[in-house]
Amino acid sequence: MPRDAHGLNGQGAGRPTTARRTRAPAPRQPRPKKAPTGKLDVSGLLTSASSSADTADAERATKRLMETVGAIEAPAPLAPEDAENATRPHEAVPTPEPAPAGHAPRRGGISPENTVFVSLCFEGPDIYSTAGGLGTRVAEFTETLAHLGYETHLIFVGDPNKPAEEVLANGKLHLKRWSQWISHYYPNGVYDGEEHKLYDYNESVPYHVYNEIARPAIEQGKIVVIIGEDWHTAEAISRTSDLLHWHNLRHRCILMWNCNSLMSLHRINWGRLNFTSTITTVSRYMKHKLWEQGVNPLVIPNGIPSRYLEGVDEAAVRAVREAALRGDPERLFLFKIGRFDPDKRWLMAVEAAARLKYSGHAAAMVIRGGIEPHGGEVVSRARHLGLRVKDIEAQRPTVAECVTLLRDAGEADIYNLRFFVPEEFVRLCYAGADAVLANSGHEPFGLVGLEVMAAGGIAFTGSTGEDYALSFENAVALETEDPEEIVGYLLHLTQHPDEREKIRTAGRETAAEFTWEEAIDNLSGKLGYLARKQSIVFE
């Protein structure tokens, strides 16, 4: 495996050598000269004269003493006005005015003027390219970078019917839809024809990054930060590092690979990836999981868009609650959204809804899953438990139409939304529900929990990657897979409205600490550390 231009392992960390190094003596610093005070310090000269071994040396020392004394003249008398000023109290020295904004001296570190970002990911912002939280992550991360002024490139497997390249955010965000010629044959989303797309991505993306992005940026004196997401980009990151090294540009690039899930980790060459890039992940839970692969990643948390902190329409929230509760103020409103994946504990959620029903606590649960096969098992289990399930179908309805569809669906225990749900309607459900069941058994980070907090809702999270969740402080953290835990905590909150309000308020405060701007500040600090390891100096 070739090493990079400095013989480093992609992170700037060389191998320790066995040869013993000797430290060169530090250069002696010259003594500061004392300012004249009107008195002559002749002690050194007198000592030199008196301690001379022979008469000639003594005569020379004495001669130097006399010449020095003669060279110092008595200070001239002060003019009257100067004498008067000398007796006045000293006035404060005026503080210089600060430099105007935009002219502050550069203090080093990454900035939009000296850094270009490249994000490599299979998923992206297109509906075709979004299958879960990963697409949301890269879309919002790159959009925030661009709005902060960074030139940003997102290379993803995009919709075959959209432009191959699209420039947004005042020319700062470059969306590059890859493998479109293959996607034309696989219209069912980003992972349809996955292996064919993966081969094409690995073969072509590294050359594009080198030729079209890295080389021009480095010629302008900039640093290039390349971040790969999840297992699909591990090989592309390593090949990009090799290519940059071959062309003697690796030392001007920081390469990172970020782990968002545990999918297909067995397909990664961990030794090579750890050699060519810095491995990162999104939570302490995931950090511990990656220790099992023999690597020790940096933790850089996810974020949410700042717009999520804006308040929701209270009237619209009441309308959603009324549609779900159907005039029964004692009824409970539950909401759950996510892929139909066993890790999301859908069966635990429907079991909890059944136990509420049969213990005399009526509940309406609105759900939105994906197209995964596990969805059939979830709906079948709900019906087997005696829950009435209503499928609601539509073609991209507006927020108002979503409320109407829910209201007109009729009586049911579970309302299964089988359409693309607008973001604003989801936030109304977050805010209006008595509990949002983000109760995953395995969650690398848990964006849904933060989104619920930002909307002022009450998130029932798991206890894995949700580092931000403090149970009964800003959320409810479930520690088992027992449906009775959901029921018990939910009934406790209905009996303690003051505690509900405390959780909603604290949740919003927590969400404000996890915006993408805050996450990028965290990333900037880590990049400063990595740049120092590679001896990169920001110009």
mmCIF file of all heavy atoms in Angstrom, residues 20 40 48 120 128 162 236 280 328 367 415 467 486 503-504:
data_model
loop_
_atom_site.group_PDB
_atom_site.id
_atom_site.type_symbol
_atom_site.label_atom_id
_atom_site.label_comp_id
_atom_site.label_asym_id
_atom_site.label_seq_id
_atom_site.Cartn_x
_atom_site.Cartn_y
_atom_site.Cartn_z
ATOM 1 N N ARG A 20 16.992 5.874 18.398
ATOM 2 C CA ARG A 20 16.872 6.854 19.478
ATOM 3 C C ARG A 20 17.236 8.219 18.953
ATOM 4 O O ARG A 20 18.255 8.400 18.290
ATOM 5 C CB ARG A 20 17.800 6.462 20.627
ATOM 6 C CG ARG A 20 17.638 7.363 21.830
ATOM 7 C CD ARG A 20 18.492 6.862 22.982
ATOM 8 N NE ARG A 20 18.373 7.721 24.133
ATOM 9 C CZ ARG A 20 19.022 7.509 25.276
ATOM 10 N NH1 ARG A 20 19.819 6.451 25.375
ATOM 11 N NH2 ARG A 20 18.867 8.320 26.288
ATOM 12 N N LEU A 40 24.634 54.474 36.504
ATOM 13 C CA LEU A 40 25.528 53.541 35.831
ATOM 14 C C LEU A 40 25.797 52.336 36.714
ATOM 15 O O LEU A 40 26.225 52.484 37.857
ATOM 16 C CB LEU A 40 26.854 54.250 35.487
ATOM 17 C CG LEU A 40 27.925 53.359 34.856
ATOM 18 C CD1 LEU A 40 27.439 52.851 33.509
ATOM 19 C CD2 LEU A 40 29.251 54.108 34.713
ATOM 20 N N SER A 48 35.514 43.004 36.869
ATOM 21 C CA SER A 48 36.444 42.570 35.833
ATOM 22 C C SER A 48 37.820 43.169 36.060
ATOM 23 O O SER A 48 38.848 42.520 35.895
ATOM 24 C CB SER A 48 35.883 42.941 34.468
ATOM 25 O OG SER A 48 36.814 42.667 33.446
ATOM 26 N N LEU A 120 -19.256 12.297 -0.126
ATOM 27 C CA LEU A 120 -19.527 11.119 -0.957
ATOM 28 C C LEU A 120 -20.566 10.261 -0.248
ATOM 29 O O LEU A 120 -20.376 9.894 0.914
ATOM 30 C CB LEU A 120 -18.257 10.304 -1.180
ATOM 31 C CG LEU A 120 -17.018 11.038 -1.705
ATOM 32 C CD1 LEU A 120 -15.884 10.049 -1.924
ATOM 33 C CD2 LEU A 120 -17.332 11.787 -2.983
ATOM 34 N N TYR A 128 -35.846 9.864 -4.978
ATOM 35 C CA TYR A 128 -35.277 8.615 -5.500
ATOM 36 C C TYR A 128 -34.112 8.140 -4.631
ATOM 37 O O TYR A 128 -33.889 6.940 -4.479
ATOM 38 C CB TYR A 128 -34.803 8.845 -6.935
ATOM 39 C CG TYR A 128 -34.125 7.654 -7.587
ATOM 40 C CD1 TYR A 128 -34.858 6.722 -8.320
ATOM 41 C CD2 TYR A 128 -32.748 7.469 -7.483
ATOM 42 C CE1 TYR A 128 -34.231 5.634 -8.917
ATOM 43 C CE2 TYR A 128 -32.115 6.392 -8.085
ATOM 44 C CZ TYR A 128 -32.863 5.476 -8.802
ATOM 45 O OH TYR A 128 -32.239 4.403 -9.381
ATOM 46 N N LYS A 162 -33.356 13.788 -13.421
ATOM 47 C CA LYS A 162 -32.988 15.152 -13.046
ATOM 48 C C LYS A 162 -31.629 15.495 -13.656
ATOM 49 O O LYS A 162 -30.913 14.618 -14.137
ATOM 50 C CB LYS A 162 -32.955 15.290 -11.522
ATOM 51 C CG LYS A 162 -34.336 15.260 -10.882
ATOM 52 C CD LYS A 162 -34.275 15.687 -9.419
ATOM 53 C CE LYS A 162 -35.684 15.827 -8.853
ATOM 54 N NZ LYS A 162 -35.648 16.329 -7.465
ATOM 55 N N ALA A 236 -14.273 3.834 -2.258
ATOM 56 C CA ALA A 236 -14.036 5.071 -3.010
ATOM 57 C C ALA A 236 -13.111 6.013 -2.250
ATOM 58 O O ALA A 236 -12.257 6.680 -2.850
ATOM 59 C CB ALA A 236 -15.365 5.756 -3.315
ATOM 60 N N THR A 280 -14.677 8.227 11.481
ATOM 61 C CA THR A 280 -15.527 8.945 12.425
ATOM 62 C C THR A 280 -16.864 8.232 12.537
ATOM 63 O O THR A 280 -17.213 7.386 11.710
ATOM 64 C CB THR A 280 -15.765 10.400 11.988
ATOM 65 O OG1 THR A 280 -16.538 10.419 10.771
ATOM 66 C CG2 THR A 280 -14.462 11.129 11.758
ATOM 67 N N ASP A 328 -62.876 12.600 21.564
ATOM 68 C CA ASP A 328 -62.705 11.959 22.866
ATOM 69 C C ASP A 328 -61.464 12.529 23.548
ATOM 70 O O ASP A 328 -60.335 12.128 23.230
ATOM 71 C CB ASP A 328 -62.567 10.442 22.688
ATOM 72 C CG ASP A 328 -62.442 9.708 24.015
ATOM 73 O OD1 ASP A 328 -62.468 10.387 25.075
ATOM 74 O OD2 ASP A 328 -62.292 8.479 24.000
ATOM 75 N N ILE A 367 -49.211 6.008 11.973
ATOM 76 C CA ILE A 367 -47.890 5.468 11.626
ATOM 77 C C ILE A 367 -47.559 5.786 10.171
ATOM 78 O O ILE A 367 -48.446 5.915 9.330
ATOM 79 C CB ILE A 367 -47.807 3.945 11.862
ATOM 80 C CG1 ILE A 367 -48.744 3.188 10.916
ATOM 81 C CG2 ILE A 367 -48.118 3.601 13.313
ATOM 82 C CD1 ILE A 367 -48.593 1.674 10.976
ATOM 83 N N TYR A 415 -53.797 4.250 12.145
ATOM 84 C CA TYR A 415 -53.956 4.885 10.833
ATOM 85 C C TYR A 415 -52.619 4.772 10.108
ATOM 86 O O TYR A 415 -51.627 5.389 10.504
ATOM 87 C CB TYR A 415 -54.368 6.349 10.982
ATOM 88 C CG TYR A 415 -55.716 6.523 11.668
ATOM 89 C CD1 TYR A 415 -55.789 6.726 13.048
ATOM 90 C CD2 TYR A 415 -56.892 6.469 10.938
ATOM 91 C CE1 TYR A 415 -57.009 6.877 13.684
ATOM 92 C CE2 TYR A 415 -58.130 6.622 11.559
ATOM 93 C CZ TYR A 415 -58.177 6.815 12.939
ATOM 94 O OH TYR A 415 -59.406 6.951 13.560
ATOM 95 N N ASP A 467 -27.398 9.912 22.566
ATOM 96 C CA ASP A 467 -26.585 10.495 23.637
ATOM 97 C C ASP A 467 -27.249 11.719 24.255
ATOM 98 O O ASP A 467 -26.960 12.066 25.406
ATOM 99 C CB ASP A 467 -25.206 10.901 23.099
ATOM 100 C CG ASP A 467 -24.381 9.708 22.652
ATOM 101 O OD1 ASP A 467 -24.715 8.574 23.052
ATOM 102 O OD2 ASP A 467 -23.409 9.904 21.897
ATOM 103 N N ILE A 486 -43.580 1.202 27.767
ATOM 104 C CA ILE A 486 -44.221 2.330 27.079
ATOM 105 C C ILE A 486 -45.517 2.700 27.781
ATOM 106 O O ILE A 486 -45.789 3.876 28.070
ATOM 107 C CB ILE A 486 -44.490 1.976 25.601
ATOM 108 C CG1 ILE A 486 -43.177 1.783 24.846
ATOM 109 C CG2 ILE A 486 -45.334 3.069 24.942
ATOM 110 C CD1 ILE A 486 -43.365 1.364 23.397
ATOM 111 N N ILE A 503 -40.672 18.297 30.195
ATOM 112 C CA ILE A 503 -39.973 17.541 29.146
ATOM 113 C C ILE A 503 -40.033 18.287 27.821
ATOM 114 O O ILE A 503 -39.040 18.372 27.084
ATOM 115 C CB ILE A 503 -40.577 16.136 29.019
ATOM 116 C CG1 ILE A 503 -40.249 15.305 30.259
ATOM 117 C CG2 ILE A 503 -40.065 15.436 27.771
ATOM 118 C CD1 ILE A 503 -40.922 13.950 30.301
ATOM 119 N N ARG A 504 -41.197 18.849 27.502
ATOM 120 C CA ARG A 504 -41.321 19.596 26.236
ATOM 121 C C ARG A 504 -40.379 20.795 26.219
ATOM 122 O O ARG A 504 -39.707 21.059 25.213
ATOM 123 C CB ARG A 504 -42.762 20.051 26.038
ATOM 124 C CG ARG A 504 -43.754 18.922 25.778
ATOM 125 C CD ARG A 504 -45.171 19.473 25.586
ATOM 126 N NE ARG A 504 -46.165 18.425 25.529
ATOM 127 C CZ ARG A 504 -46.525 17.766 24.415
ATOM 128 N NH1 ARG A 504 -45.922 18.069 23.266
ATOM 129 N NH2 ARG A 504 -47.450 16.836 24.443
#
